[in-house]
Amino acid sequence: MSKKDDCIFCKIANHEIESDYLYEDDLVCAFRDLNPQAPVHVLVVPKDHYDNIVDDVPGEVLAAMTHAVSEVARICGIKDSGFRVIANTGAAAGQTVMHLHMHVLGGSTLSEGLIPNA
Ligand code: AMP
């Protein structure tokens, strides 16, 4: 398993630091964002460290993340009402934690401007 010592999401994904988890499997986990931008704001992260979505991420990890997004939407009751999935990629795009993550935002009518760190 590839981890980065100073990475907060590596620590959360591998339970070295506990969080408010909603979903977990062998490859990924999902937990509530510390600073929610919508009634539902959950982060889906791989347990292995990748800097972002273009960091040679294996297809099975991307598939597991997509499955986790679906599970989060089901668990949070937003699967049918619509939600937004965002992966900020690079500092210029607003990525502040350099461990691949997908934001799942929903639970209200989302304005066009509701993009984390935009
Ligand atoms: P981004 O700006 O796309 O890199 O998003 C990083 C997100 O991680 C932000 O929405 C933060 O609120 C969130 N965040 C940072 N630290 C934590 C933490 N310890 N637990 C949960 N969410 C966090």
Side-chain angles (χ1 to χ4, degrees):
M1 175 143 322
S2 107
K3 285 195 268 173
K4 222 174 164 184
D5 284 347
D6 59 347
C7 174
I8 181 81
F9 284 2
C10 278
K11 289 185 167 57
I12 292 174
N14 295 284
H15 293 274
E16 289 167 42
I17 295 174
E18 292 302 319
S19 190
D20 189 358
Y21 301 96
L22 291 179
Y23 174 82
E24 181 164 16
D25 61 27
D26 288 347
L27 294 175
V28 304
C29 74
F31 52 90
R32 291 192 194 277
D33 196 291
L34 210 53
N35 182 26
Q37 305 294 307
V40 173
H41 188 172
V42 175
L43 302 173
V44 173
V45 311
K47 292 187 172 180
D48 276 347
H49 184 93
Y50 304 95
D51 288 343
N52 57 45
I53 203 165
V54 292
D55 186 16
D56 293 330
V57 187
E60 63 170 354
V61 173
L62 293 172
M65 292 183 76
T66 306
H67 176 70
V69 167
S70 180
E71 286 297 290
V72 165
R74 183 185 60 75
I75 290 162
C76 295
I78 58 171
K79 201 163 184 172
D80 297 326
S81 57
F83 58 94
R84 187 168 287 161
V85 180
I86 293 168
N88 292 326
T89 304
Q95 185 179 4
T96 58
V97 179
M98 298 303 166
H99 177 123
L100 169 60
H101 53 282
M102 291 178 178
H103 296 259
V104 180
L105 294 144
S108 65
T109 303
L110 298 170
S111 71
E112 287 182 16
L114 185 52
I115 298 175
N117 297 323

